Coordinates of all heavy atoms in Angstrom, one line a residue:
I349 N -41.1 48.5 -120.0 CA -40.3 48.0 -118.9 C -39.0 48.9 -118.7 O -38.6 49.2 -117.6 CB -39.8 46.5 -119.2 CG1 -41.1 45.7 -119.3 CG2 -39.0 46.0 -118.1 CD1 -42.0 45.7 -118.1
Y350 N -38.4 49.2 -119.9 CA -37.1 50.0 -119.8 C -37.4 51.4 -119.2 O -36.7 51.9 -118.3 CB -36.5 50.1 -121.2 CG -35.3 51.0 -121.3 CD1 -34.0 50.4 -121.0 CD2 -35.3 52.3 -121.6 CE1 -32.9 51.2 -121.1 CE2 -34.2 53.1 -121.6 CZ -33.0 52.5 -121.4 OH -31.8 53.3 -121.5
G351 N -38.5 52.0 -119.7 CA -38.8 53.4 -119.2 C -39.1 53.3 -117.7 O -38.7 54.2 -116.9
A352 N -39.9 52.3 -117.3 CA -40.2 52.2 -115.8 C -39.0 51.9 -115.0 O -38.9 52.5 -113.9 CB -41.3 51.1 -115.7
C353 N -38.1 51.1 -115.4 CA -36.9 50.8 -114.7 C -36.0 52.0 -114.5 O -35.5 52.3 -113.4 CB -36.1 49.7 -115.3 SG -36.8 48.0 -115.2
N354 N -35.9 52.8 -115.6 CA -35.1 54.1 -115.5 C -35.8 55.1 -114.6 O -35.1 55.8 -113.9 CB -34.9 54.6 -116.9 CG -33.7 54.0 -117.6 OD1 -32.6 54.4 -117.4 ND2 -34.0 53.0 -118.4
A355 N -37.1 55.1 -114.6 CA -37.9 56.0 -113.7 C -37.6 55.6 -112.3 O -37.5 56.5 -111.4 CB -39.3 56.0 -114.1
L356 N -37.6 54.3 -112.0 CA -37.4 53.8 -110.7 C -36.0 54.2 -110.2 O -35.8 54.4 -109.0 CB -37.6 52.3 -110.6 CG -37.6 51.6 -109.3 CD1 -38.7 52.2 -108.4 CD2 -37.8 50.1 -109.5
A357 N -35.0 54.3 -111.1 CA -33.7 54.5 -110.7 C -33.3 56.0 -110.7 O -32.3 56.4 -110.2 CB -32.7 53.8 -111.6
A358 N -34.2 56.9 -111.2 CA -33.9 58.3 -111.3 C -33.9 59.0 -110.0 O -34.6 58.7 -109.0 CB -35.0 58.9 -112.2
H359 N -33.0 60.0 -109.9 CA -32.8 60.8 -108.7 C -33.4 62.2 -108.9 O -33.8 62.9 -108.0 CB -31.4 61.0 -108.2 CG -30.8 59.7 -107.8 ND1 -31.0 59.1 -106.6 CD2 -30.0 58.8 -108.5 CE1 -30.3 58.0 -106.5 NE2 -29.7 57.8 -107.6
D360 N -33.4 62.6 -110.2 CA -34.0 63.9 -110.6 C -35.5 63.7 -110.9 O -35.9 62.8 -111.7 CB -33.3 64.4 -111.9 CG -33.8 65.8 -112.3 OD1 -35.0 65.9 -112.7 OD2 -33.0 66.7 -112.3
M361 N -36.4 64.4 -110.2 CA -37.8 64.2 -110.4 C -38.3 64.4 -111.8 O -39.2 63.7 -112.3 CB -38.6 65.1 -109.4 CG -40.0 64.8 -109.2 SD -40.8 65.9 -108.0 CE -42.4 65.2 -107.9
K362 N -37.7 65.4 -112.5 CA -38.1 65.6 -113.9 C -37.7 64.5 -114.8 O -38.4 64.1 -115.7 CB -37.5 66.9 -114.3 CG -38.5 67.8 -115.2 CD -37.8 69.1 -115.6 CE -38.9 70.0 -116.3 NZ -38.3 71.2 -116.8
R363 N -36.5 63.9 -114.5 CA -36.1 62.8 -115.3 C -36.9 61.6 -115.0 O -37.2 60.8 -115.9 CB -34.6 62.5 -115.0 CG -34.0 61.5 -115.9 CD -32.4 61.4 -115.6 NE -31.8 62.6 -116.1 CZ -31.3 62.7 -117.4 NH1 -31.5 61.8 -118.2 NH2 -30.7 63.8 -117.7
M364 N -37.3 61.4 -113.8 CA -38.2 60.3 -113.4 C -39.5 60.4 -114.2 O -40.0 59.4 -114.8 CB -38.5 60.3 -111.9 CG -39.4 59.2 -111.4 SD -41.2 59.5 -111.4 CE -41.3 60.6 -110.0
I365 N -40.1 61.6 -114.3 CA -41.4 61.7 -115.0 C -41.2 61.6 -116.5 O -42.0 61.0 -117.2 CB -42.0 63.1 -114.7 CG1 -42.4 63.1 -113.2 CG2 -43.2 63.3 -115.5 CD1 -42.8 64.5 -112.7
A366 N -40.0 62.0 -117.0 CA -39.7 61.8 -118.5 C -39.6 60.4 -118.8 O -40.2 59.9 -119.8 CB -38.4 62.5 -118.8
Y367 N -39.0 59.6 -118.0 CA -38.9 58.1 -118.3 C -40.3 57.5 -118.1 O -40.6 56.5 -118.8 CB -37.8 57.5 -117.4 CG -36.5 57.5 -118.0 CD1 -35.5 58.3 -117.4 CD2 -36.2 56.9 -119.2 CE1 -34.2 58.4 -118.0 CE2 -34.9 56.9 -119.8 CZ -33.9 57.7 -119.2 OH -32.7 57.8 -119.7
S368 N -41.1 58.0 -117.2 CA -42.4 57.4 -117.0 C -43.2 57.7 -118.3 O -44.1 56.8 -118.6 CB -43.1 58.0 -115.8 OG -43.6 59.3 -116.1
S369 N -43.0 58.8 -119.0 CA -43.6 59.0 -120.3 C -43.3 58.0 -121.3 O -44.1 57.5 -122.1 CB -43.3 60.4 -120.8 OG -43.9 61.4 -119.9
V370 N -42.0 57.6 -121.4 CA -41.5 56.6 -122.3 C -42.3 55.3 -122.0 O -42.7 54.6 -122.9 CB -40.0 56.4 -122.1 CG1 -39.5 55.2 -123.0 CG2 -39.2 57.6 -122.6
S371 N -42.4 55.0 -120.7 CA -43.1 53.8 -120.3 C -44.6 53.8 -120.7 O -45.1 52.8 -121.3 CB -43.0 53.6 -118.8 OG -43.6 52.4 -118.4
H372 N -45.2 54.9 -120.4 CA -46.7 55.0 -120.7 C -46.9 55.0 -122.2 O -48.0 54.5 -122.7 CB -47.3 56.3 -120.1 CG -47.5 56.1 -118.6 ND1 -46.7 56.7 -117.7 CD2 -48.4 55.4 -117.9 CE1 -47.1 56.4 -116.5 NE2 -48.1 55.6 -116.6
M373 N -46.0 55.6 -123.0 CA -46.2 55.5 -124.5 C -46.0 54.1 -125.0 O -46.5 53.8 -126.1 CB -45.2 56.5 -125.2 CG -45.6 58.0 -124.9 SD -47.2 58.5 -125.6 CE -48.2 58.4 -124.1
G374 N -45.4 53.2 -124.2 CA -45.3 51.8 -124.6 C -46.7 51.2 -124.7 O -46.9 50.3 -125.6
F375 N -47.6 51.6 -123.8 CA -48.9 51.0 -123.9 C -49.7 51.5 -125.1 O -50.5 50.7 -125.6 CB -49.7 51.5 -122.6 CG -49.3 50.8 -121.4 CD1 -48.5 51.4 -120.4 CD2 -49.7 49.5 -121.1 CE1 -48.1 50.8 -119.3 CE2 -49.3 48.8 -119.9 CZ -48.5 49.5 -119.0
V376 N -49.3 52.7 -125.6 CA -49.9 53.1 -126.9 C -49.5 52.2 -128.0 O -50.3 51.8 -128.9 CB -49.5 54.6 -127.2 CG1 -50.0 55.0 -128.6 CG2 -50.1 55.5 -126.1
L377 N -48.2 51.8 -128.0 CA -47.7 50.9 -129.1 C -48.3 49.5 -129.0 O -48.7 48.9 -130.0 CB -46.2 50.8 -128.9 CG -45.3 51.9 -129.5 CD1 -43.8 51.6 -129.2 CD2 -45.5 52.1 -130.9
I378 N -48.5 49.0 -127.8 CA -49.1 47.7 -127.6 C -50.5 47.7 -128.1 O -51.0 46.8 -128.8 CB -49.1 47.3 -126.1 CG1 -47.7 46.8 -125.7 CG2 -50.1 46.2 -125.8 CD1 -47.3 45.4 -126.2
G379 N -51.3 48.7 -127.7 CA -52.7 48.8 -128.2 C -52.8 49.0 -129.7 O -53.6 48.3 -130.3
L380 N -51.9 49.8 -130.3 CA -51.9 50.0 -131.7 C -51.5 48.7 -132.5 O -52.1 48.3 -133.5 CB -51.0 51.1 -132.1 CG -51.0 51.6 -133.6 CD1 -52.4 52.0 -134.0 CD2 -50.0 52.7 -133.7
A381 N -50.5 48.0 -132.0 CA -50.0 46.8 -132.6 C -51.0 45.7 -132.6 O -51.0 44.8 -133.4 CB -48.7 46.3 -131.9
S382 N -52.0 45.7 -131.6 CA -53.0 44.7 -131.5 C -53.9 44.7 -132.7 O -54.5 43.7 -133.0 CB -53.7 44.8 -130.2 OG -54.6 45.9 -130.2
V383 N -54.1 45.9 -133.3 CA -55.1 46.1 -134.4 C -56.5 45.5 -134.0 O -57.1 44.7 -134.8 CB -54.6 45.5 -135.7 CG1 -55.4 46.0 -136.9 CG2 -53.1 45.8 -136.0
T384 N -56.9 45.8 -132.8 CA -58.2 45.5 -132.4 C -58.9 46.8 -131.9 O -58.3 47.8 -131.6 CB -58.2 44.5 -131.1 OG1 -57.5 45.2 -130.1 CG2 -57.5 43.2 -131.5
A385 N -60.3 46.8 -131.9 CA -61.0 48.0 -131.6 C -60.7 48.4 -130.1 O -60.5 49.5 -129.8 CB -62.5 47.7 -131.7
E386 N -60.5 47.3 -129.2 CA -60.2 47.7 -127.9 C -58.8 48.3 -127.7 O -58.6 49.3 -127.0 CB -60.3 46.4 -127.0 CG -61.7 45.7 -127.0 CD -61.8 44.7 -128.0 OE1 -61.0 44.7 -129.0 OE2 -62.7 43.9 -127.9
G387 N -57.9 47.6 -128.4 CA -56.5 48.1 -128.3 C -56.3 49.5 -128.9 O -55.6 50.3 -128.2
V388 N -56.9 49.8 -130.0 CA -56.7 51.1 -130.7 C -57.5 52.2 -129.9 O -57.0 53.3 -129.7 CB -57.2 51.1 -132.1 CG1 -57.1 52.5 -132.7 CG2 -56.4 50.1 -132.9
S389 N -58.6 51.8 -129.3 CA -59.4 52.7 -128.5 C -58.5 53.1 -127.2 O -58.5 54.2 -126.8 CB -60.7 52.1 -128.0 OG -61.6 52.0 -129.2
G390 N -57.9 52.0 -126.7 CA -57.1 52.2 -125.5 C -55.9 53.1 -125.8 O -55.5 54.0 -125.0
A391 N -55.3 52.9 -127.0 CA -54.1 53.7 -127.4 C -54.5 55.2 -127.5 O -53.8 56.1 -127.0 CB -53.6 53.2 -128.7
V392 N -55.6 55.5 -128.2 CA -56.0 56.9 -128.4 C -56.4 57.5 -127.0 O -56.1 58.6 -126.7 CB -57.2 57.0 -129.4 CG1 -57.7 58.5 -129.5 CG2 -56.8 56.5 -130.7
F393 N -57.1 56.7 -126.2 CA -57.5 57.2 -124.9 C -56.3 57.5 -124.0 O -56.2 58.4 -123.3 CB -58.4 56.2 -124.2 CG -59.2 56.7 -123.0 CD1 -60.5 57.1 -123.1 CD2 -58.6 56.9 -121.8 CE1 -61.2 57.7 -122.1 CE2 -59.3 57.4 -120.7 CZ -60.6 57.8 -120.8
Q394 N -55.3 56.6 -124.1 CA -54.1 56.7 -123.4 C -53.3 58.0 -123.8 O -52.7 58.7 -123.0 CB -53.1 55.5 -123.6 CG -51.8 55.6 -122.9 CD -51.8 55.4 -121.4 OE1 -52.9 55.5 -120.8 NE2 -50.7 55.1 -120.8

Side-chain angles (χ1 to χ4, degrees):
I349 303 301
Y350 178 86
C353 288
N354 276 275
L356 188 59
H359 296 281
D360 184 294
M361 195 176 180
K362 220 175 185 186
R363 187 172 291 272
M364 183 268 284
I365 296 171
Y367 275 113
S368 78
S369 292
V370 174
S371 182
H372 283 108
M373 289 300 97
F375 286 101
V376 174
L377 282 180
I378 282 287
L380 186 56
S382 73
V383 195
T384 61
E386 300 90 344
V388 176
S389 294
V392 178
F393 197 99
Q394 177 75 342

